[in-house]
Amino acid sequence: LGEGKFDKEIHQKYLTHIDINNLQGLEVEYIYRWKIGESLIVDRSHLHCSSTRIDGKKLGLTTFTKK
């Protein structure tokens, strides 16, 4: 991890449910704008989280595969 401060604007817009001090040294690679019915596939070695900006109810299903 780096030692830089986490982006305050991104924190305020998406991640207020996480203490910004716990994000020190991290950078956002991309912000996925999820839509109902879509799936997102990510590498398990990458950190990810959902946002505080989800309106209504979100239901998630996580599956793991191995080569």
Side-chain angles (χ1 to χ4, degrees):
L1 295 177
E3 294 184 23
K5 302 264 185 206
F6 189 79
D7 186 304
K8 289 181 182 179
E9 288 182 36
I10 291 175
H11 179 262
Q12 188 61 40
K13 189 170 182 179
Y14 298 105
L15 301 170
T16 55
H17 61 294
I18 299 174
D19 184 334
I20 194 166
N21 296 311
N22 292 335
L23 302 171
Q24 184 173 335
L26 298 176
E27 296 178 0
V28 173
E29 183 176 354
Y30 65 91
I31 296 172
Y32 179 76
R33 305 208 188 277
W34 180 79
K35 295 181 186 108
I36 293 175
E38 289 184 345
S39 296
L40 172 64
I41 298 171
V42 295
D43 186 320
R44 287 177 57 185
S45 66
H46 293 208
L47 296 174
H48 68 281
C49 75
S50 60
S51 171
T52 54
R53 298 190 59 145
I54 297 172
D55 295 326
K57 187 181 265 189
K58 178 183 171 191
L59 176 65
L61 171 69
T62 303
T63 59
F64 298 96
T65 60
K66 182 179 176 182
K67 286 184 180 182

